[in-house]
Amino acid sequence: MLDHWHPVLASHDLTKKPHGLQLGGRLICLFRTSDGNVSAIDDVCPHRRMKLSYGRVVGDRVECKYHGWMFDGCGDGESPSTPKMHTCTESFDAREEHGFIWVKSRHSNPAFPDINADKFYHLGNFLHTVPAPLELTVDNFTEIEHSGTVHDTFGYDLPRMHEVKVNFEPTENSVRVMNVGPTKVLNPLFRWMLGIRKNDLFHDHWTTYFSPIYSVYDHWWTSPDGSREAMVRWRLYMFFWPVDEKRTNVTSFVYAKSRYPGPAGGLRFAKYLFRREVDREIRQDIQMLEHMADHRPSIEGMKLSRFDKVLGLTRERIARIYRGEPVGRIAVA
C-alpha cells in the first residue's frame, strides 16, 4: 500500500520539529532539513525502538531523544557514543504539492495524481480521520443513496430517490459513477447563493482511481430540461488512506467555480461559508460510520440496492491495484 503517493500532512503543519504519523500501520517520521526540504524515514530508532519523531531536528538530520543517535533523510545513521558503528532505517520518497506533503515507498514509480483545477477557485484543504476501515470509508463516499437522510446540501430528495438515475462506467483501473435526480430541499440562504430553483436536478458525477485511492467529484444543478445551470459548480478531490486496520484518513482538496461577476465569481467573499459547509457535510459522513454496527470490510450477506453496484467494483480494484493481492485470491460478492 505504501507504493502509492499519499497526501499525509498539510505543509504548514510540518515546522522545525519532526512529525510522526501512521500510514497503513507503518510509523513514519517527517522532518524538514536545513534547506526546508521534506524527508521521510521510519519512525522507529533501530537502537532501542524509540519514536524518532519524539526527538529534534539538527541540521539535516533527526536526533533520537533517547540516546542521541542521528539519521539523515536517506535513513543513514550513526551513534555519538560509538562513532564507528553504522546503522540505518528505511526512508521514503516525499514531495510537497497542493499544500500537502505526499509520501510513498522508495522502490515504486507510480504516476502522481492529477489534480486539475483549471478555472476553479481553491476553497481549501481538509484532513479528517474516520473511525472505520478503508473499504467501508470508500463505500460511504462513493454512493449517493444515503444523501437523502444524511446530507443537507449535496444530495437527493428522499421521497423522490426512486427517480434518481445512476450509471456506472468501470474500466480496468477506475470506476466512474454518474447520478442525476431531483435535488433535496436546501437551506434557503444556500439555495439563493447557489442559484438553485424549485424542481432543479442535482448532478453528482465522480470517478474513483486506485493508485492511490481517490475520487474526483463534480457537483452541479440544472433545470429539469438542462437548459439552465445554477450559478456555482463544485469539484472535490478526496484521497482515502488507511491509518491502520480500524481508521482511515480522508484528505480533501475543495474547489468551486462561479458564474457571478467579479474576481473568482465572488467566491472569495463566500469562502468561509462554503468551506464550513463542505467540512460539515464530511463530518456528517463520519458520524454515520461511527455508528456502524459491524466494521468488517466484507459485503457478503448484505442486501444491496441498485446504488450499491459500486461496492463490488471498488472492492476488486482496491484489492488488486492498491493492496497488490493476486487476482486469483480476490473474491467479489
Side-chain angles (χ1 to χ4, degrees), residues 123 152-155 183-198 200-202 219-223 228-235 255-260 265-267 270-271 273-275 277-278 280-281:
L123 293 175
D152 297 320
T153 301
F154 303 110
T183 184
K184 65 188 308 111
V185 179
L186 274 67
N187 174 288
L189 174 62
F190 251 75
R191 188 171 66 245
W192 174 76
M193 294 180 67
L194 299 175
I196 300 170
R197 301 177 187 176
K198 185 178 180 181
D200 274 0
L201 301 179
F202 177 57
H219 298 324
W220 74 97
W221 293 261
T222 68
S223 58
R228 172 188 51 80
E229 183 174 331
M231 299 301 290
V232 179
R233 246 184 205 248
W234 302 75
R235 178 169 293 173
Y255 300 86
K257 181 165 56 176
S258 167
R259 295 196 293 113
Y260 285 109
L267 289 172
K271 183 175 182 178
L273 180 62
F274 285 169
R275 278 176 52 89
E277 185 64 16
V278 172
R280 190 169 71 90
E281 292 275 286

Side-chain angles (χ1 to χ4, degrees), residues 36-47:
N37 290 326
V38 178
S39 291
I41 61 176
D42 203 37
D43 197 15
V44 182
C45 180
H47 176 213

